[in-house]
Amino acid sequence: MRQPVVYILDNNSAISDEIITHISEYLPASRLEKADRYLRTVDRNNCIISYFLLLYGLLENYGIRTIPEIERGLHGKPHFKDADISFNISHCDSGVCCGINDRSLGVDIQDTDIEFEEILDITMSRRERELIERSDAPSEIFARFWSLKESLCKYRGTGINDALNKIDFSEADSNVFSVNGVFFRSEKRGGFWISASSENQVPAFIEGDIEWYIHRFREIYE
């Protein structure tokens, strides 16, 4: 049984157009078309980078050199049509991540500089709200809880719903923990919190810059 792996890329805003063009050569046309629909450059680049991380994970872990056909479940969670491999991607202004596993997993990444006041009551439990409001860095605490909740919803395949404030992570005072048979890892990296959840093992986090990923990809691919 493989350990779930989450590949992380920090400082995605510093990636050059030349690198984006280079890694785009390995990606399916459908993904590039989706990327072109984004208005902001950082969103367009994140769309491309996240799938390059997915391709890297497929190549490193399974020897798969192209991204299989992707379908979406009832609540929008993507999955491969003909490959028994789970994946999940997420990105924010500060970073990008992609998780890959033999079984279901969920990943989420959230900027720590986040405006949360208008959604605090509908997304956080009473105890979580208390911790956020008492904190010297409330937006960072909110980002952590939010990323944990999103990773769990993605793991379950339910999508974000109206019951977020019924999910409570106020007792999760460690970076690694389990709740009701689900394993979590949550860490602050740079300007974001990243969280991952899995049913079989605690996910491993692997972080590198884009040059490192490209170098490793070429070594395996070629």
Side-chain angles (χ1 to χ4, degrees):
M1 184 181 299
R2 295 177 183 268
Q3 183 181 19
V5 180
V6 180
Y7 299 101
I8 306 166
L9 188 142
D10 193 358
N11 197 24
N12 46 315
S13 61
I15 295 176
S16 68
D17 291 341
E18 289 77 13
I19 287 179
I20 292 296
T21 298
H22 174 64
I23 64 178
S24 295
E25 296 174 0
Y26 298 98
L27 302 183
S30 60
R31 189 64 180 182
L32 301 180
E33 291 169 1
K34 180 178 180 179
D36 284 340
R37 292 196 289 269
Y38 284 104
L39 298 179
R40 296 196 310 160
T41 299
V42 64
D43 295 326
R44 176 179 61 85
N45 290 352
N46 284 346
C47 184
I48 292 171
I49 295 165
S50 61
Y51 261 53
F52 181 72
L53 294 183
L54 173 60
L55 181 58
Y56 173 78
L58 289 169
L59 184 62
E60 182 176 61
N61 292 279
Y62 301 96
I64 297 175
R65 297 168 62 90
T66 58
I67 296 176
E69 183 178 351
I70 294 173
E71 297 181 329
R72 290 188 176 272
L74 178 63
H75 298 285
K77 182 176 181 178
H79 63 273
F80 295 129
K81 180 179 179 181
D82 299 314
D84 193 20
I85 302 169
S86 295
F87 74 96
N88 208 216
I89 62 176
S90 183
H91 46 76
C92 63
D93 285 357
S94 303
V96 182
C97 68
C98 175
I100 192 165
N101 191 23
D102 294 337
R103 300 185 183 183
S104 183
L105 84 163
V107 300
D108 191 68
I109 187 170
Q110 293 290 333
D111 290 307
T112 56
D113 182 14
I114 183 172
E115 297 291 336
F116 62 87
E117 289 81 1
E118 293 185 359
I119 60 173
L120 183 63
D121 289 342
I122 62 174
T123 58
M124 298 292 139
S125 70
R126 179 186 61 80
R127 176 59 178 155
E128 288 169 338
R129 292 197 303 271
E130 291 175 354
L131 292 175
I132 291 168
E133 290 167 349
R134 292 205 312 259
S135 172
D136 293 333
S139 64
E140 291 192 12
I141 305 303
F142 179 89
R144 178 176 186 250
F145 288 149
W146 179 257
S147 68
L148 282 166
K149 289 170 188 263
E150 282 225 36
S151 77
L152 179 60
C153 290
K154 291 179 178 182
Y155 160 79
R156 291 173 172 171
T158 58
I160 299 300
N161 54 58
D162 294 334
L164 282 180
N165 59 5
K166 303 297 191 296
I167 303 172
D168 186 275
F169 285 104
S170 62
E171 300 296 326
D173 55 1
S174 172
N175 285 345
V176 174
F177 60 95
S178 62
V179 179
N180 297 326
V182 181
F183 296 88
F184 294 87
R185 182 183 296 275
S186 184
E187 297 180 5
K188 183 177 181 294
R189 300 285 185 99
F192 56 82
W193 269 98
I194 177 171
S195 298
S197 55
S198 170
E199 69 178 77
N200 54 331
Q201 294 185 56
V202 175
F205 284 178
I206 297 176
E207 184 173 359
D209 59 26
I210 192 62
E211 287 81 8
W212 182 83
Y213 281 113
I214 291 173
H215 176 72
R216 289 284 298 132
F217 180 82
R218 285 174 173 168
E219 283 186 333
I220 305 170
Y221 190 86
E222 299 172 358

